[in-house]
Amino acid sequence: GESVGLHLPTLSVQEGDNSIINCAYSNSASDYFIWYKQESGKGPQFIIDIRSNMDKRQGQRVTVLLNKTVKHLSLQIAATQPGDSAVYFCATHTGGFKTIFGAGTRLFVKA
Amino acid sequence: EAQVTQNPRYLITVTGKKLTVTCSQNMNHEYMSWYRQDPGLGLRQIYYSMNVEVTDKGDVPEGYKVSRKEKRNFPLILESPSPNQTSLYFCASSFFGGSSEAFFGQGTRLTVV
């Protein structure tokens, strides 16, 4: 069946460094991709999204890259801060109304 | 304030005792959905609703029911809870189904003993 996977369950970075979180998806018909951040005890919160007709989108300190050839998605966080410590999920959408989430990567930021 | 509100936040119940988790949104979203979150499995969609009186199964619908009688409310019903339904549950809403960002509630931690 359709799946979304993250390459690493945990990632540890030094404060001030850039973070890169990766995600692979299986369905080449996926047309919309979202990154969510989940802090402890809270629901997931939208960070940034990208549609399949784009390969890069930038937000405030975050960039999402989409490589449809290899079905790979990444989230880059510039100048990582302690407040960025959380679990990050990628999610894909393929027409219709279903959304498939990956298992999540926990980002630890070392001071 | 735009929000999705779930109740209760925590619930411990016994096997077989029917329960309902409520979800309400104040953003006039047409699309609402329920997810369960288990360690190592991410979020898995249980049911979703495209509009009032329109619902459909997600990836893990067994043992759950939903209803959408009003646009703002989307309750999750467990008719006969079992221990394997112990999980963290999230309700979410969005404008355009899966093709727009979803707003999530704070979660309901359910334990079935």
Side-chain angles (χ1 to χ4, degrees):
Chain A
E2 186 173 353
S3 67
V4 175
L6 284 162
H7 295 185
L8 289 174
T10 63
L11 176 66
S12 183
V13 300
Q14 198 69 38
E15 181 179 357
D17 287 353
N18 296 334
S19 303
I20 300 176
I21 301 172
N22 295 303
C23 182
Y25 61 96
S26 65
N27 193 336
S28 57
S30 296
D31 57 7
Y32 179 64
F33 307 85
I34 320 171
W35 282 100
Y36 289 94
K37 172 185 180 183
Q38 186 177 25
E39 296 174 287
S40 182
K42 297 183 179 180
Q45 185 177 19
F46 172 86
I47 303 173
I48 191 167
D49 59 1
I50 188 168
R51 300 198 183 272
S52 57
N53 60 352
M54 304 172 69
D55 52 21
K56 180 179 180 179
R57 190 156 189 234
Q58 288 183 291
Q60 189 175 19
R61 282 200 307 117
V62 293
T63 300
V64 56
L65 299 178
L66 176 62
N67 185 329
K68 294 182 288 293
T69 302
V70 295
K71 297 196 283 275
H72 183 270
L73 186 70
S74 69
L75 176 70
Q76 300 179 1
I77 305 173
T80 311
Q81 303 168 359
D84 295 325
S85 293
V87 178
Y88 291 82
F89 294 95
C90 66
T92 67
H93 172 257
T94 309
F97 296 91
K98 276 192 177 183
T99 301
I100 306 293
F101 281 79
T105 289
R106 182 173 293 278
L107 176 65
F108 294 97
V109 181
K110 296 177 288 187
Chain B
E1 180 190 354
Q3 60 184 5
V4 178
T5 304
Q6 294 177 229
N7 279 297
R9 292 288 313 276
Y10 302 92
L11 179 60
I12 300 174
T13 190
V14 295
T15 299
K17 185 177 182 182
K18 180 180 178 179
L19 66 93
T20 300
V21 184
T22 64
C23 175
S24 180
Q25 51 96 1
N26 63 359
M27 294 167 279
N28 202 35
H29 287 166
E30 291 188 346
Y31 181 87
M32 298 185 74
S33 60
W34 276 102
Y35 295 87
R36 61 177 288 173
Q37 185 175 26
D38 302 290
L41 297 177
L43 286 94
R44 293 179 294 167
Q45 195 170 40
I46 302 171
Y47 268 95
Y48 59 91
S49 170
M50 295 78 82
N51 213 325
V52 174
E53 302 291 4
V54 184
T55 63
D56 205 351
K57 296 176 181 178
D59 291 321
V60 288
E62 295 77 22
Y64 305 95
K65 284 176 57 178
V66 293
S67 69
R68 187 89 181 273
K69 293 183 169 55
E70 305 166 282
K71 198 171 189 178
R72 64 183 292 124
N73 296 323
F74 189 45
L76 178 70
I77 303 155
L78 284 73
E79 294 269 2
S80 184
S82 62
N84 65 11
Q85 292 179 297
T86 292
S87 187
L88 179 59
Y89 292 87
F90 288 101
C91 178
S93 73
S94 61
F95 277 114
F96 302 120
S99 60
S100 63
E101 67 174 282
F103 295 81
F104 284 82
Q106 290 284 75
T108 295
R109 185 165 292 283
L110 172 66
T111 302
V112 183
V113 297

